[in-house]
Amino acid sequence: MAAPLTARGRSGLTATVLKVMGIFGGVQVLTILCAIARTKFVALWIGPVGVGLFGIYNSALDMVKSVSQLGIGESAVRDLANSPKGRVAAVVLSLRRWSWALGVIGAVAMLALSGFLSVMSFGDSSHAWEFMLLSVCVLLSSLSAAEGAVFRGFRRFRKLARASVWGAVGGLAVSIPMFYLWRQESIVPSIIAYTVVTWLALGLYREKVDKPEGKLPLGESFSIGKGFVVLGTFMTASLFINNLVTYIFLAWLNSEGGEGVVGLYQAGFTLVSKYVGLIFTAIAVEYYPRLSAVAHSPRRLALFAGHEIRLIMWILMGAVPVFILADGLIVRLLYSSDFVEMLPYVGWAAVGTVFRAYGWCLGFTILAKGDGATYLWTEALSAALSLGLSMAGYAYCGWLGLGVAYIVWFGVYSVIVSVVARRRYGIRLPYPSLLLTILALAVALGAALLRTYLAY
């Protein structure tokens, strides 16, 4: 039986997590500031329609990318971190070969689907050319995902951080002149430019790995890559379903309220899921490889997951109430007064981030176990819940309904992954983790009720 974490061990683990979180938290903040600036320029020079077009094009692009990459950007991290020293070079070369092959296939698929995507998004084929141009992003994103996996698998966190910073800053720098000069016509070129800059930044810090001893045939590369591709395929199917659901909902929302409403929703969703979610992203860089290393022990999985939950809940108890009570100021600062209409959604959806954090920590245990099939059906069920609840929420209660739907969505998802973790893997979380989650939820609900009392 694995030994429990001692007080000293927990303290050291917390310090390690916070150190990595500090590095990538800073990177995420800078990346978000660049994204905020980019969105701010779009909002000022193009308006809600521009933000809505960004959402539509990026959703379609993410949907194709999620299929073409087969999840190797995440699944390969597990193989790289656990590979024997003599096998590492072959794994890296195999990963890079797979990324090229999958990127080319994805780009061709984007070209072939351009007309269909235009009709689904805008009702006609007049935007097919824009979707064709985005095929370049599919190829470069596949190559970038592989390099990111190499950095994480080798724990080259600082190099990955530097590359991320240059990608974010460079992407913003090349986008601003496009927004000013071309206005609405700049949307697609700016997406392409951002992808190119990100790829170049990762290439600048590309990890140099010795060539494998002897020649590595393509057939052997295929064989070596089967491990991370199989798990990645399940992850890809899950990501595709989520992106497809997002795309369907945005298309439905576009038909119900128009491109302006889509832009408002996209802005609100970005605030809640991406900006608040930077905490999750920063921690995941270190959490996933560490969790994979103890996947054989239910007790160690429970201890590490419980530790992560407690750490995140302490952070959320301070961040979420401030975010909710200052949502009006934040929206006006990051966007403009034209976006205040969606404040009820932002305020109540922020409460759901507590459930989201809890489910996120347990969801990683499924990936750490390499249980791709279980991960797929839990994520597919979550996506179905998201679509149904969001449509019903907006149809009956507008923006407030969308916020409540977000809470219910992640609340149900948390129950699902909790049952899976307990019954399938024997993971029993420490009671302090559960109690702290309840406390964080109560604090967030109190802030949301107070904000409602103060009136939107």
Side-chain angles (χ1 to χ4, degrees), residues 395-450:
Y396 288 102
C397 298
W399 295 111
L400 176 61
L402 275 176
V404 174
Y406 193 94
I407 298 174
V408 177
W409 167 25
F410 280 109
V412 176
Y413 175 74
S414 294
V415 172
I416 292 172
V417 292
S418 295
V419 172
V420 170
R422 187 181 182 92
R423 294 189 177 182
R424 190 170 179 83
Y425 311 128
I427 297 174
R428 298 174 182 270
L429 290 177
Y431 283 110
S433 303
L434 301 175
L435 293 176
L436 198 58
T437 300
I438 294 172
L439 179 59
L441 182 62
V443 171
L445 281 171
L449 290 172
L450 178 61

Side-chain angles (χ1 to χ4, degrees), residues 58-119:
N58 276 314
S59 293
L61 181 59
D62 289 342
M63 185 171 59
V64 176
K65 281 163 43 179
S66 67
V67 175
S68 67
Q69 292 177 17
L70 291 181
I72 61 175
E74 288 293 327
S75 62
V77 173
R78 196 166 179 266
D79 284 46
L80 289 166
N82 297 324
S83 293
K85 187 175 181 180
R87 188 170 178 266
V88 167
V91 174
V92 171
L93 180 56
S94 298
L95 173 60
R96 287 170 173 167
R97 285 176 173 176
W98 271 97
S99 70
W100 268 103
L102 295 174
V104 170
I105 292 172
V108 172
M110 190 74 174
L111 290 171
L113 292 171
S114 59
F116 172 76
L117 292 173
S118 179
V119 172

